[in-house]
Amino acid sequence: MTEMQQAMAALQGTGTTPHRGRGTTSDLSIDEILLLHSMGWEPVDLVFGVSWWSIPWGVWQWQTGEIAEASTAFAGAMDEASGLLREECARTGGSGVVGVEIGIRVSSHHIDLTLSGTAVRRVGDTKPSFEFISDLSARDFVLLTRAGWWPLGLAAGASFVVAPRRSARQWAAQKGQNVELPNLTEALYLAREKAMERMQQSGLGMQAEGVVDVKLREGPLGYNARVMQFVAVGTAVHLRDGAHRSVQPSMVVSLDDRVRQFDVKKLRSGGN
Amino acid sequence: MADFASCLSLGMEPAGFVQGFAVMQWSWYSGYYRTAGGFGGMGGWTVPRGQGQYAEEWRCPHGFVGAEHRTYGFNAEQAWLEKSWAEGWGLAYRRMVEEAAEAGAHGVIGIVDDMHYLTGGQTAEFRISGTAVRGARRRAAPHPVHDAPVRATTDQAAGGGVCPGVGGRHPELGADDRLLHHPLPVGRHRGSVPATGCRAGSPGSTPSPRSTRHSGAARHLAREHIRQQIGTDSLHGATFEQFEHEVGEGDMAIQCLVKGTRVRQFKDFDPLPDADPVVRLT
């Protein structure tokens, strides 16, 4: 019986299937699952961590500089969501979470943070201990571990800064000119310094030697152009095997590139 | 083209571009709570509790102030709406499968599905489409999706990306599983979290346990609904879509939709070699 026939029989319930208990769920692609299996890991379950923190009324309107309440709310929400994700991973029998997607929403009176990913474990490990949370894809996780590194957890930092208004004199002097707005530039820099510092501290707290795949979210908040946000999240990593192992990739040339098209009309009009 | 070529190399050929549609009408919240006690009614809020349905309520931290004040917040699953949604999606899905069966197909790949509102939030259209495929080198075996002569042929593989992953590189999972099974829209949750009402009062940033549990519950319920459907099979490539909207009087509804491909393992994993890292020169 060919594999195709075996598969058909399994679908129709007339064939044999390997004994399995509970089915697994994952947001990984089939390629990623096979990649994990090739290094002795398997997906276990989809896991989530969600946290909402409230921000007091009026903090955005009546002060300038960093909004400590918002930055604290972000840190609290990140801690809580990570903790819930970790608990759920342990409950489902996973020893780590890969491909964590991070959803962040900042509104005037609350911050909500959603973490979702796939819990994984070594094949056949029935009593795994919790090891890591990572926003690296399964592909990057495999690559990282083959290079001798190991993910530890999510390192995150955020800062929200309200830029001061320009004085009426400044406004009038700058009206109609092309000039930098230093109040906004400085607010963005201040937010950046604080957020990056917090992310680094978060990594150091996990005994990490670096933070990789850092994703940044920066710029004005949608509802208030004077509020500059800077959020940095990445995976803290640790060199596990003493030394980095070089990965020697093969070079490949894709043969399915999109064919470059040209506009025939442009040839007729001399390229103009 | 890559999808088409991969299908052929696997011994499958496209049998037709198949589609299914359904238009459903529902009333979001009409009379649901009011008949049961109503917002602000004399009896306070009545939390809907069906069998096995998720519901949580919170008491006012100030003690007894009034009947309405006492239960100042609750989260509740909208099971009736989940059912309607599943019915709409199921109808469209079944119609697509029937069309594939008429085309003599063994399965449908590259499925793309969508739902959008036609008039306000009251009428929703579900549509599902994909490419019906059949084994090219043999007669169709008994299966829900087959048993008729080929009606039309198309090279369209809506959604793409399915066949190339199957093209003999990793036969261990069973290509047919992925080709013949289908995305399942499974969980949907509606919950209500009154954002108004009394607060214990806190000057700084504080956790919002009601909202946290509400938002988390939507995802967990959706995942559990999936689990009930797949049994011992697995669901991979799952995607989450979460929508939130205010429904008046400070209430918020959260809707979570999970979709993925149901996969059945028909043999144990063969040992897999280490993958070769490559750099693509494009």
Side-chain angles (χ1 to χ4, degrees):
Chain A
M1 187 184 274
T2 64
E3 286 195 334
M4 184 79 89
Q5 287 167 329
Q6 275 182 284
M8 290 284 281
L11 285 176
Q12 290 157 7
T14 56
T16 56
T17 53
H19 173 71
R20 296 183 61 83
R22 211 169 83 140
T24 60
T25 57
S26 84
D27 57 0
L28 304 175
S29 67
I30 298 295
D31 284 354
E32 286 180 311
I33 291 164
L34 293 171
L35 198 54
L36 282 176
H37 266 278
S38 75
M39 61 173 285
W41 287 70
E42 64 182 357
V44 183
D45 218 343
L46 282 166
V47 285
F48 321 106
V50 179
S51 181
W52 288 51
W53 274 57
S54 68
I55 302 170
W57 288 100
V59 295
W60 307 101
Q61 282 81 29
W62 308 112
Q63 52 185 316
T64 56
E66 188 183 24
I67 307 299
E69 292 87 346
S71 305
T72 306
F74 176 88
M78 192 72 193
D79 280 350
E80 188 179 11
S82 299
L84 292 170
L85 192 71
R86 185 183 169 130
E87 278 174 25
E88 199 165 292
C89 173
R91 209 165 35 241
T92 57
S95 55
V97 187
V98 296
V100 173
E101 283 193 22
I102 303 160
I104 303 167
R105 192 171 46 176
V106 182
S107 65
S108 59
H109 53 275
H110 77 265
I111 286 181
D112 66 272
L113 212 143
T114 307
L115 305 178
S116 58
T118 298
V120 294
R121 69 177 170 205
R122 289 176 185 81
V123 175
D125 190 356
T126 51
K127 290 184 179 174
S129 56
F130 183 81
E131 294 180 51
F132 63 88
I133 293 175
S134 169
D135 65 346
L136 296 176
S137 67
R139 283 188 180 87
D140 286 345
F141 170 68
V142 170
L143 201 56
L144 185 81
T145 52
R146 282 175 71 171
W149 295 76
W150 200 253
L152 295 170
L154 290 177
S159 180
F160 303 89
V161 174
V162 178
R165 290 182 189 280
R166 288 177 292 171
S167 65
R169 174 178 290 201
Q170 276 178 321
W171 176 81
Q174 291 173 344
K175 193 181 175 192
Q177 294 184 37
N178 296 339
V179 292
E180 184 185 13
L181 298 174
N183 56 335
L184 293 176
T185 305
E186 284 165 14
L188 189 56
Y189 264 89
L190 179 60
R192 173 193 176 250
E193 290 303 317
K194 299 258 186 195
M196 294 301 283
E197 188 184 329
R198 284 168 188 152
M199 184 184 70
Q200 285 168 16
Q201 288 299 328
S202 171
L204 288 172
M206 288 182 256
Q207 317 294 321
E209 276 139 8
V211 181
V212 297
D213 202 19
V214 173
K215 295 171 184 79
L216 300 179
R217 171 174 151 158
E218 53 86 20
L221 275 180
Y223 56 88
N224 189 339
R226 284 199 305 126
V227 179
M228 289 294 171
Q229 60 171 330
F230 202 99
V231 180
V233 186
T235 293
V237 294
H238 166 67
L239 188 57
R240 191 180 232 193
D241 300 338
H244 174 79
R245 289 199 301 266
S246 289
V247 177
Q248 302 290 339
S250 311
M251 304 292 183
V252 297
V253 181
S254 301
L255 296 178
D256 59 349
D257 286 354
R258 186 182 292 275
V259 177
R260 286 188 181 278
Q261 303 283 347
F262 64 92
D263 187 352
V264 177
K265 284 182 184 171
K266 283 191 176 177
L267 293 177
R268 287 178 187 151
S269 59
N272 297 320
Chain B
M1 268 320 292
D3 289 353
F4 179 58
S6 298
C7 266
L8 293 179
S9 69
L10 196 68
M12 311 287 287
E13 66 179 17
F17 182 47
V18 289
Q19 298 153 57
F21 299 90
V23 179
M24 297 284 289
Q25 175 188 298
W26 53 60
S27 53
W28 292 100
Y29 281 84
S30 63
Y32 189 60
Y33 293 114
R34 287 191 173 82
T35 54
F39 288 120
M42 289 299 289
W45 294 329
T46 301
V47 183
R49 289 179 191 280
Q51 194 172 11
Q53 190 176 324
Y54 162 75
E56 278 187 290
E57 58 186 298
W58 282 265
R59 294 293 185 192
C60 171
H62 297 141
F64 186 80
V65 178
E68 182 191 355
H69 200 71
R70 192 173 173 205
T71 301
Y72 80 119
F74 66 88
N75 299 341
E77 182 183 3
Q78 306 278 302
W80 65 282
L81 194 53
E82 290 171 5
K83 196 178 161 197
S84 308
W85 197 96
E87 193 182 335
W89 196 93
L91 278 171
Y93 174 76
R94 279 196 296 278
R95 285 165 188 162
M96 180 191 69
V97 169
E98 282 166 14
E99 211 169 287
E102 285 172 22
H106 292 90
V108 183
I109 60 170
I111 289 178
V112 174
D113 74 298
D114 183 28
M115 188 274 275
H116 66 271
Y117 295 110
L118 295 178
T119 52
Q122 305 289 312
T123 310
E125 178 195 329
F126 293 84
R127 55 185 175 197
I128 303 179
S129 60
T131 297
V133 292
R134 65 186 182 96
R137 295 171 196 154
R138 59 193 162 83
R139 291 288 303 164
H143 188 270
V145 190
H146 79 299
D147 265 1
V150 175
R151 191 181 59 186
T153 302
T154 174
D155 60 357
Q156 179 166 0
V162 178
C163 280
V166 192
R169 273 190 302 145
H170 308 298
E172 293 77 11
L173 256 189
D176 274 18
D177 284 355
R178 279 174 282 158
L179 286 170
L180 296 175
H181 265 282
H182 44 77
L184 298 172
V186 200
R188 179 182 166 105
H189 166 74
R190 289 200 148 251
S192 169
V193 176
T196 55
C198 66
R199 285 171 172 270
S202 176
S205 310
T206 52
S208 301
R210 279 185 295 164
S211 301
T212 296
R213 289 183 64 79
H214 184 198
S215 188
R219 286 177 173 252
H220 285 108
L221 285 165
R223 188 188 60 191
E224 291 316 306
H225 290 175
I226 283 222
R227 284 206 162 288
Q228 287 167 14
Q229 292 189 37
I230 64 173
T232 57
D233 291 341
S234 297
L235 185 98
H236 293 307
T239 57
F240 276 86
E241 293 171 43
Q242 187 153 320
F243 313 98
E244 298 171 5
H245 63 262
E246 300 279 331
V247 291
E249 300 192 36
D251 287 354
M252 184 170 68
I254 296 181
Q255 170 189 328
C256 185
L257 177 64
V258 184
K259 287 185 288 189
T261 300
R262 181 175 175 172
V263 176
R264 181 169 301 163
Q265 191 174 358
F266 70 91
K267 54 178 272 196
D268 284 323
F269 275 89
D270 292 331
L272 288 164
D274 277 349
D276 291 328
V278 297
V279 175
R280 201 180 289 267
L281 299 176
T282 50

